[in-house]
Amino acid sequence: MNGSNRLTEESSSSSQKAEHTHHHDHNHEHTDHTPTEGESVHPHVHSEESLRRIVNRLSRIEGHIRGIKTMVQHNTPCPDVLLQIAAVRGALDKVARIVLDEHLTECIGRAAQEGNIDVEIAQLKAALDRFLP
């Protein structure tokens, strides 16, 4: 199985799970287990609309990456391929910005209200250390 098929299947199964989970509930919660190292101590609750927006963007990026793969397979000139890779990078950066914004407004805000802001800030810093070059 190649990587793009695996991504498609994972994306499809994630979308199906999200659709199933959100059929009657407009919130998404990760509260079914005890937090381990690196996990948040509060439930991550995000609106169905927010999750759908992020998943839709990721699906478009996934299609764009498949298009780049096709370009390479058809010996498209390298500058054209690089231009498309730059577009995907920009799109991924936009998704990261949306996720970060959601985290700051929803998750960090909720942690502050619940009194565990220090843990959330530490986890965000650790994630940013891995995310940023």
Side-chain angles (χ1 to χ4, degrees), residues 121-133:
I121 294 293
Q123 291 174 346
L124 178 58
K125 285 181 180 180
L128 288 173
D129 283 345
R130 290 185 304 271
F131 177 74
L132 297 173

Side-chain angles (χ1 to χ4, degrees), residues 69-100:
K69 181 180 174 185
T70 300
M71 291 173 72
V72 170
Q73 290 169 332
H74 292 126
N75 292 317
T76 301
C78 296
D80 294 342
V81 173
L82 290 171
L83 184 64
Q84 294 307 311
I85 290 171
V88 167
R89 280 182 174 171
L92 278 172
D93 286 344
K94 180 65 176 172
V95 170
R97 180 178 285 279
I98 292 168
V99 170
L100 178 59

Side-chain angles (χ1 to χ4, degrees), residues 36-103:
T36 59
E37 183 179 334
E39 289 188 35
S40 297
V41 294
H42 76 280
H44 275 50
V45 181
H46 301 281
S47 73
E48 184 176 338
E49 177 58 31
S50 172
L51 294 174
R52 184 179 13 227
R53 186 177 69 226
I54 292 169
V55 168
N56 285 344
R57 283 181 178 267
L58 290 171
S59 293
R60 284 194 301 273
I61 292 167
E62 182 180 18
H64 202 152
I65 290 171
R66 282 193 305 271
I68 294 170
K69 181 180 174 185
T70 300
M71 291 173 72
V72 170
Q73 290 169 332
H74 292 126
N75 292 317
T76 301
C78 296
D80 294 342
V81 173
L82 290 171
L83 184 64
Q84 294 307 311
I85 290 171
V88 167
R89 280 182 174 171
L92 278 172
D93 286 344
K94 180 65 176 172
V95 170
R97 180 178 285 279
I98 292 168
V99 170
L100 178 59
D101 182 60
E102 282 274 323
H103 187 69

Side-chain angles (χ1 to χ4, degrees), residues 29-34:
E29 295 186 40
H30 299 272
T31 57
D32 57 340
H33 63 278
T34 305

Side-chain angles (χ1 to χ4, degrees), residues 16-27 48:
Q16 290 169 352
K17 287 178 187 173
E19 289 173 14
H20 177 72
T21 302
H22 301 293
H23 183 68
H24 297 289
D25 186 8
H26 293 285
N27 291 322
E48 184 176 338

